[in-house]
Amino acid sequence: MHQAKHGSFKDESAEIWVVPVFSEKRALGSFATAIDGMLNGALNDARAEDESTGKKDEVVVFRGARAIRAKRVLLVGLGKRESLDREGMRRFGAVIAREAAAKSKKIAVAFGDIDCADEETCAFAQALVEGYDLATYDFDRFKEKKKSLGGALLLLTGGKKSASYASDGIRRGVACAAGQNTARDLSNMPANHGTPDMLASTAKKIGKSLGIDVRVFGPKEIEKMKMGAFLSVSLGSPVPPRLIQMQWNASKKKLPCVAIVGKGLTFDSGGISIKSADGMDKMRHDKSGGCAVIGAFEAVAKLKLPIRLVGIVPATENMPGGNANKPGDIVTAKNGKTIEILNTDAEGRLVLADGLTHALGFKPDVVIDLATLTGACMVALGSHCAAVMTRDDELARDLVRAGQSSHERLWRMPLWDEYVDEMRGSQADLKNLGGRYGGALTAAAFLEAFTEKSKWAHLDIAGVSWDDGTRLYNKGKGATGFGVRLLVEYLTKIAER
Ligand code: BES
Ligand code: ZN
Ligand code: ZN
């Protein structure tokens, strides 16, 4: 797999060599200079003749470097050196994947020419590998022809010490991308395959291989646990629900404890308040919050982060069967609160209500939920960031920061008493439908009723969980796995505190 080492191009047997260049007219780095020598000055000529300008994502290919075994040399533009950040490195990784992954078993990268300080080396190597591994993912399990997997990266550094920083970055990047690709793979599953039970068995399988404690509860147990809100959503479907419970470092009670709760709707038809046909297939992705929780566990366990992590995924379909919720029905949640269901399509908050109450039982220091909760959030923010709602300024700050580093960005939206007031029921304690406007905010206010006094944040990921494949490292269209990198970044910072 991917590796970093201190060395020169001369000794390597890679078929493809990748050389980063910047848009300022600066001298070529030492790796590039060495290759330029072997190519009789072709790199410098390309720079001088403005064929290679170094602007972001630009690629210039050289062939015929017979003296050095490589089949081709790629000059890849990274823009201005001073504005290069982790996201620029992820894009770099994705460009390498697009140009070279399928064509070579081993791809050497002149990483040393990026000229990083020590701290930057680890973060940049991590981001590069994330971009590469995310870009080589394809959801092709149902296709006859499958693409071959990407070749391994060899990051060549300028010194021994930077090679060891880069190796650490690679380890982190591989773990994050693997977790994120797991989340994407699960979220991409069509509803007839990606059932609640399938989510549960995948969580179990991952748990078994990585030492995560996973327990799964079925409808009878969910009923016994008095999760009346969650259970009610599942009744319209013949496919049984599952409550997935994951624990990392369960016995280490002294470690800081974070609980993550993910909405796991394997299909959301809307129920009796049925959705329109247009784009309804996308509602297989309504489990993306839950998939991000499972993916984050994989990454956290691979990295052996010293934190206590609890994961809860209430997984079910929302269908209009004969036993389905009906508008006007009143259900009782696990914490005893009653809810008037005015719209059966506002089901995410019902399953999360009981998921959150269950999570509180573990006495976590922080609770974070992730959910494709509202169309209103998509209307407000589009597809370039998710919303975070919390009353806790410190938690908001930490999560927004983690979003910047991971480039899974968050934008804070208000959670105020006025929104809470909108969610009071007329015949029950709460109703599941707010007024016409501010739907993402009233949804968050509803959830707050199930968090007692805990330090809690809600992430509405409706706009960011899948896309049309226009992003560099989400080539295959479909699920993005949003939330995995963000959570791992946030949890890593907690572990370092
Ligand atoms: N899963 C949907 C939210 C959603 C819609 C996510 C489109 C991504 C894309 C959720 O369960 C839902 O249907 N919410 C309703 C709530 C409304 C009835 C209060 C919505 O947003 O329309
Ligand atoms: Zn819905
Ligand atoms: Zn939904």
Side-chain angles (χ1 to χ4, degrees), residues 4-271:
K5 75 178 212 189
H6 169 51
S8 76
F9 275 98
K10 261 199 195 125
D11 342 308
E12 300 310 332
S13 57
E15 294 151 83
I16 297 188
W17 295 356
V18 179
V19 181
V21 282
F22 298 100
S23 57
E24 308 97 314
K25 286 271 173 197
R26 47 195 249 165
L28 290 176
S30 60
F31 284 103
T33 305
I35 293 185
D36 189 45
M38 298 181 230
L39 285 169
N40 301 322
L43 300 194
N44 259 318
D45 290 349
R47 298 282 286 164
E49 285 157 24
D50 270 350
E51 194 188 338
S52 160
T53 63
K55 69 166 195 263
K56 262 189 204 159
D57 308 334
E58 173 199 75
V59 182
V60 182
V61 185
F62 297 85
R63 290 164 205 272
R66 295 216 170 70
I68 45 172
R69 270 182 294 191
K71 284 193 193 127
R72 31 184 114 183
V73 175
L74 307 180
L75 272 194
V76 180
L78 298 184
K80 276 203 178 122
R81 173 62 185 92
E82 59 173 28
S83 27
L84 181 62
D85 57 7
R86 297 182 202 198
E87 179 59 7
M89 291 302 290
R90 275 182 213 101
R91 296 182 69 91
F92 183 29
V95 170
I96 298 173
R98 186 183 67 200
E99 303 289 328
K103 299 178 185 122
S104 175
K105 286 213 177 69
K106 194 165 163 196
I107 302 158
V109 183
F111 191 80
D113 281 2
I114 294 168
D115 201 13
C116 300
D118 285 346
E119 329 76 72
E120 213 175 35
T121 302
C122 174
F124 274 24
Q126 173 178 352
L128 174 71
V129 165
E130 284 172 358
Y132 182 85
D133 282 359
L134 290 171
T136 45
Y137 165 82
D138 195 19
F139 185 66
D140 58 5
R141 66 168 73 228
F142 293 107
K143 287 188 180 162
E144 190 184 354
K145 269 199 191 140
K146 298 184 200 324
K147 286 194 198 133
S148 64
L149 292 169
L153 298 176
L154 174 67
L155 309 189
L156 295 168
T157 62
K160 281 230 166 66
K161 203 163 141 221
S162 51
S164 90
Y165 280 112
S167 299
D168 191 39
I170 290 172
R171 181 182 65 89
R172 292 168 194 264
V174 166
C176 284
Q180 188 149 5
N181 283 338
T182 294
R184 291 164 84 187
D185 221 30
L186 290 173
S187 175
N188 279 331
M189 282 297 211
N192 62 332
H193 295 271
T195 58
D197 191 58
M198 186 267 173
L199 282 190
S201 57
T202 308
K204 278 210 152 166
K205 203 168 79 200
I206 293 171
K208 203 166 175 209
S209 72
L210 293 170
I212 304 161
D213 175 45
V214 181
R215 288 186 65 186
V216 176
F217 305 97
K220 288 218 176 73
E221 290 149 305
I222 294 168
E223 190 177 0
K224 245 194 233 144
M225 292 156 116
K226 295 196 159 35
M227 298 188 170
F230 173 27
L231 190 70
S232 77
V233 173
S234 74
L235 296 178
S237 169
V239 175
R242 294 286 183 261
L243 180 79
I244 306 167
Q245 172 187 306
M246 307 176 80
Q247 286 183 273
W248 169 248
N249 282 334
S251 60
K252 299 188 181 156
K253 300 287 187 230
K254 282 197 181 124
L255 290 174
C257 179
V258 178
I260 50 182
V261 182
K263 173 176 172 181
L265 264 287
T266 57
F267 192 74
D268 179 13
S269 70

